[in-house]
Amino acid sequence: MDPPPRPVRRRFAVSIRPAALWPYLLIAPTVLGAAFLLVYPLVRNAVMSFQHFGLAELIRGGAGWVGFANYRTVLEDPEFWTVVRRTFWWTGLNVALIMLIGTLVSLMLVRLGRWMRLAVMSALVLAWATPVIAATTIFQWLFQSRFGVVNWLLVKLGFDSYRDYTWFAHGGATFAILVTLVLWQSVPFAALTLYGGLTAIPAELYESARIDGAGAWQTFRLVTFPMLRPLFALVTSLEVIWCFKCFAQIWVISAGGPNGATTTLPVYAFQIAQSLHKYDLGSAVSTLTVLILLGVLVFNLRRMFRQEGAL
């Protein structure tokens, strides 16, 4: 009996046409730029968190490895956990208010006339496009103790106790001002994004809801929100990132004060690294900040995909 024929191995020649490389060549500068500006600092920061890196090492080099000692120092510090709780409170409050106000503004835009809608959208875009430092400076002027517009207006309205009131000397007042500033900068993005989603919902669904006798709240709960659930989840995730890593506004207005009332994790990491010159501990705090934010986003995205699979 003859042995079975041996399988014939075919050699496939891989030919890459020059035209197929063009998409990769076009995106290569963006990928390389993002890797240099984002990936390298993140990796360098993570490496520094495992070293003894102070002012002397910054000048002469030669940082030694200390393993997880920096993380143990940070995690055993009660102040770190106080800042973590404050950061979650700061993020949760801002995101909840942004999504609430942004949703209401987007619903208002749908019901406005053409020219009024154009005016409101133009104002939102201008507020959104204002540079962060410029907007922060404006809020400093508004709440200035002697010549601020807010104190002047409150005194004119009869609240004489606000004459020369120092807003930035009180932790609660400073926190409220920063929340207002972040809302002013963030609501336009949420409102315009949700308005774009609202315009894509078929009008027949709203007509059916009205015929069935649904009110405004029932229409939103049964028609609008289910149709825009993925968009709501996406905007919420982006706002969580924006608020959690918020630094410039807090540092310019209060530098985390007074008495640490506005110190969040990014500000805390900067204070340790720059004020105390403990760059290793600052790197550990910032690495933990990234990990905490990543965990929050993964939890939110998993919940979003789970809800999408249940539909």
Side-chain angles (χ1 to χ4, degrees), residues 65-84:
W65 292 90
V66 296
F68 290 92
N70 293 323
Y71 289 95
R72 284 196 296 270
T73 302
V74 170
L75 295 175
E76 291 174 358
D77 187 0
E79 184 179 0
F80 171 77
W81 296 107
T82 301
V83 174
V84 169

Side-chain angles (χ1 to χ4, degrees), residues 113-129:
R114 178 182 177 183
W115 294 108
M116 184 59 68
R117 184 189 305 121
L118 180 61
V120 174
M121 292 179 67
S122 300
L124 291 173
V125 170
L126 288 175
W128 186 28

Side-chain angles (χ1 to χ4, degrees), residues 60-122:
R60 67 170 184 260
W65 292 90
V66 296
F68 290 92
N70 293 323
Y71 289 95
R72 284 196 296 270
T73 302
V74 170
L75 295 175
E76 291 174 358
D77 187 0
E79 184 179 0
F80 171 77
W81 296 107
T82 301
V83 174
V84 169
R85 289 190 294 270
R86 186 183 298 115
T87 305
F88 275 100
W89 164 243
W90 160 267
T91 304
L93 178 63
N94 276 292
V95 173
L97 292 176
I98 289 169
M99 295 306 298
L100 175 62
I101 300 174
T103 302
L104 294 176
V105 173
S106 64
L107 293 173
M108 179 190 69
L109 287 172
V110 175
R111 290 163 174 77
L112 291 177
R114 178 182 177 183
W115 294 108
M116 184 59 68
R117 184 189 305 121
L118 180 61
V120 174
M121 292 179 67
S122 300

